[in-house]
Amino acid sequence: MLIDNHNRIINYVRLAVTDRCNLRCNYCMPAEGINFAKSDKLFTIDELSRLSEILVSQGVDKIRITGGEPFVRKDLIVLLRRLSEMEALKDISVTTNATLIGPYIDELKVLGIHNINVSMDAIHRKTFEKITRRKHYDTVYNNMIRLITEGFNVRINCIALEGQNIEDILPMLELTKHYDVSVRFLEEMPFNGGSKTFDKITWDYKHILEYIRDAHPEYYKLESPKTSTSINYKIPGYKGTFGVIPSFSRTFCGSCNRLRISATGDVITCLYAKASTNLRDIMRAENSEGRVKAEILKAIGSRAKTGFEAQKKYENVFDNSMTSIGG
Ligand code: SAM
Ligand code: SF4
């Protein structure tokens, strides 16, 4: 079992399989001039499978595949097949922009991969296209609805972006009236590859909740798992639920159970920290398993207690783009 220096059990890994993406969401990365990693710097699918096996042998039982956009990797399904064969891995989930998932939906079902987070920050086409800087609205919307209606456990991630999609908050919420889906409103974080900096946000989780409360005073709070980053609610009579994720306010650090590994092998122990070590070259050496395990233990043994502590410790952490961290 992996236990960090603050006695938190780490059983959840967010594994980024690429830093590339077919969208250019303006809160995540600049429109141009992004330095994506060269292909040989990315883990291969074999390396990702081996790394996952090592992590699972250390007590990890939940892996979330993320990126960049995971499905830009044409061989992603091979990794998903292998993960689904790992018995001790209880939960495999994917975070995706839903542009490219269509052809894989049937197989995901067969593999038992039901937990899919879809990022969609606007229900209005124009707003969506402005935020993502691409024209994939119909594909994303249709894939999202298909996932929901075909029985996947879908959570929609929608970042509240001042001046961009605030008019979309209530219509996004209305999706939960008609569908058994969870819509989660996230606070924006300044990990956008340097395109904009900020040290406070207007739309923190309290503000989002007040805004929703004005329209739906009857909503009520739900019980959530202790390690959940979202605080969850329901509007009576609605099929689905909604939540807020205080990713910038960082109210959930005390029960953090997660570790992030980037597509190039960086081990990131907190969103607000720089990488503590890199596993790629270690993985590529002979007899690497023992060293990989030791590096993970070392990283977990020196985690910051909170995102605020991490932020203080590391300089220039906001130069990072979420496309390399994986969200
Ligand atoms: N491409 C996939 C997607 O968009 O779902 C997976 C990778 S994306 C980096 C993972 C998550 O990070 C998404 O839900 C996205 O909305 C979120 N994210 C990206 N940039 C963010 C930011 N600056 N603040 C808060 N969340 C962010
Ligand atoms: Fe791509 Fe996801 Fe970042 Fe949008 S949030 S640019 S879809 S990685």
Side-chain angles (χ1 to χ4, degrees):
M1 192 189 282
L2 295 169
I3 300 182
D4 79 3
N5 47 320
H6 303 285
N7 251 332
R8 296 172 292 202
I9 295 171
I10 309 298
N11 66 327
Y12 171 17
V13 168
R14 297 179 64 99
L15 190 58
V17 296
T18 180
D19 60 349
R20 286 159 207 238
C21 191
N22 56 338
L23 301 186
R24 290 287 180 277
C25 304
N26 60 22
Y27 53 77
C28 178
M29 57 168 91
E32 283 164 22
I34 313 147
N35 284 326
F36 291 122
K38 295 219 169 76
S39 303
D40 65 329
K41 301 285 183 222
L42 300 178
F43 278 132
T44 64
I45 290 296
D46 281 343
E47 287 166 341
L48 287 165
S49 310
R50 210 152 50 80
L51 177 60
S52 303
E53 265 164 19
I54 295 173
L55 290 160
V56 170
S57 78
Q58 288 185 294
V60 167
D61 62 8
K62 169 170 179 170
I63 293 183
R64 173 171 296 283
I65 299 299
T66 178
E69 173 47 39
F71 288 97
V72 299
R73 269 193 88 143
K74 298 209 166 51
D75 47 6
L76 177 69
I77 197 72
V78 178
L79 174 66
L80 295 175
R81 284 178 198 142
R82 292 193 192 156
L83 292 179
S84 69
E85 281 164 10
M86 295 180 196
E87 271 204 6
L89 190 54
K90 301 282 174 250
D91 183 347
I92 307 161
S93 47
V94 182
T95 300
T96 175
N97 63 28
T99 52
L100 304 166
I101 196 173
Y104 303 102
I105 292 178
D106 288 340
E107 185 162 358
L108 288 172
K109 221 186 286 176
V110 173
L111 294 177
I113 300 177
H114 295 300
N115 296 329
I116 310 287
N117 286 8
V118 172
S119 304
M120 186 166 181
D121 305 288
I123 203 84
H124 296 111
R125 179 188 303 272
K126 273 209 173 124
T127 312
F128 178 88
E129 290 178 353
K130 207 164 165 206
I131 293 172
T132 60
R133 303 181 176 117
R134 295 290 185 273
K135 294 188 184 294
H136 289 303
Y137 180 87
D138 289 331
T139 312
V140 170
Y141 186 81
N142 293 337
N143 280 336
M144 179 187 74
I145 298 297
R146 188 176 156 205
L147 286 164
I148 299 170
T149 51
E150 292 198 17
F152 286 84
N153 174 29
V154 178
R155 299 189 301 193
I156 302 171
N157 287 347
C158 173
I159 306 177
L161 299 158
E162 167 70 357
Q164 297 203 72
N165 66 350
I166 301 309
E167 295 73 30
D168 289 68
I169 292 180
L170 295 177
M172 288 294 284
L173 196 57
E174 281 307 288
L175 286 171
T176 73
K177 182 173 185 176
H178 309 287
Y179 297 104
D180 182 9
V181 67
S182 167
V183 175
R184 293 116 48 94
F185 299 100
L186 282 78
E187 293 178 351
E188 184 180 11
M189 294 178 274
F191 298 112
N192 45 50
S195 32
K196 61 175 169 176
T197 53
F198 51 89
D199 55 17
K200 46 179 188 297
I201 49 172
T202 313
W203 289 90
D204 65 9
Y205 73 105
K206 289 184 189 158
H207 193 172
I208 299 167
L209 284 175
E210 279 161 17
Y211 182 75
I212 295 175
R213 173 79 71 199
D214 281 345
H216 297 282
E218 70 284 18
Y219 78 68
Y220 62 93
K221 194 168 175 184
L222 300 170
E223 283 286 320
S224 300
K226 199 173 145 264
T227 51
S228 172
T229 51
S230 61
I231 316 166
N232 300 299
Y233 304 87
K234 190 171 175 76
I235 298 172
Y238 280 30
K239 286 190 179 151
T241 62
F242 76 94
V244 284
I245 305 191
S247 26
F248 191 67
S249 305
R250 287 160 262 181
T251 54
F252 44 63
C253 301
S255 57
C256 179
N257 65 341
R258 57 197 66 193
L259 183 70
R260 293 173 166 80
I261 302 186
S262 81
T264 55
D266 281 347
V267 177
I268 303 165
T269 58
C270 170
L271 258 179
Y272 290 82
K274 290 256 181 188
S276 3
T277 183
N278 184 284
L279 295 176
R280 191 189 50 240
D281 292 342
I282 300 173
M283 285 283 295
R284 288 177 182 176
E286 300 255 308
N287 301 320
S288 55
E289 185 173 335
R291 269 203 69 201
V292 170
K293 283 185 172 173
E295 286 295 314
I296 288 168
L297 283 175
K298 200 165 98 192
I300 281 179
S302 58
R303 292 180 82 212
K305 194 169 181 186
T306 66
F308 293 103
E309 188 182 301
Q311 185 185 333
K312 262 190 231 148
K313 190 167 149 198
Y314 298 92
E315 266 177 47
N316 309 328
V317 72
F318 294 131
D319 290 351
N320 288 346
S321 158
M322 207 57 109
T323 192
S324 53
I325 311 171

